[in-house]
Amino acid sequence: MKKYQKMRGGRRAGSGRKKNSPNKASAKREREAAASGATPRDVMLMSMRSLWALADENKKDKKAFEHYIRAAAVAKDAAPYFHPRLSTVDQAQGAGGTTIRVHVTGGLPVGSTPERPEGTEYSEVPPEEPYR
């Protein structure tokens, strides 16, 4: 092997940043936001809860419906912070494929085919076939 080997360009397996790892700027921004006090997530959660409580207090008032609608809109914006989308979550699959076997007793009349099912002779007991 040569002392100085020329590297080829292009993609290589295992190179680059690993998935779901934040870059330094994003990690720093998140730490600063958390240290400063309320994050956008906290503000949305507090406003949603206060709107919901306001709507519960004024159930007989016409404004209650408006407060519920506003609380639902804030909840919709806050949902990605708390609940991941199903498409991004690994869903457990079965251990393997399932094979379904159907054993039919009886069948078509003697002399008929699936294309021409007419016939009048039915055997009392179907012939015994080995179970696979």
Side-chain angles (χ1 to χ4, degrees), residues 1-6:
M1 196 152 111
K2 295 180 181 179
K3 187 173 182 181
Y4 298 104
Q5 226 175 5
K6 187 174 182 182

Side-chain angles (χ1 to χ4, degrees), residues 46-107:
M46 285 188 295
S47 64
M48 178 193 70
R49 287 181 178 162
S50 64
L51 283 167
W52 191 263
L54 189 60
D56 280 343
E57 287 175 9
N58 304 320
K59 278 193 174 183
K60 295 182 181 179
D61 191 6
K62 291 182 179 181
K63 289 276 188 178
F65 181 72
E66 187 177 321
H67 293 307
Y68 280 127
I69 296 298
R70 287 183 180 172
V74 174
K76 179 183 169 188
D77 293 338
Y81 289 98
F82 298 98
H83 308 289
R85 291 182 179 261
L86 289 179
S87 61
T88 60
V89 177
D90 290 334
Q91 296 179 4
Q93 298 293 326
T98 304
T99 304
I100 299 173
R101 293 187 179 158
V102 178
H103 181 72
V104 178
T105 304

Side-chain angles (χ1 to χ4, degrees), residues 26-43:
S26 295
K28 181 182 176 188
R29 190 171 45 247
E30 288 175 10
R31 282 193 305 271
E32 288 173 355
S36 69
T39 62
R41 178 178 107 166
D42 297 334
V43 172

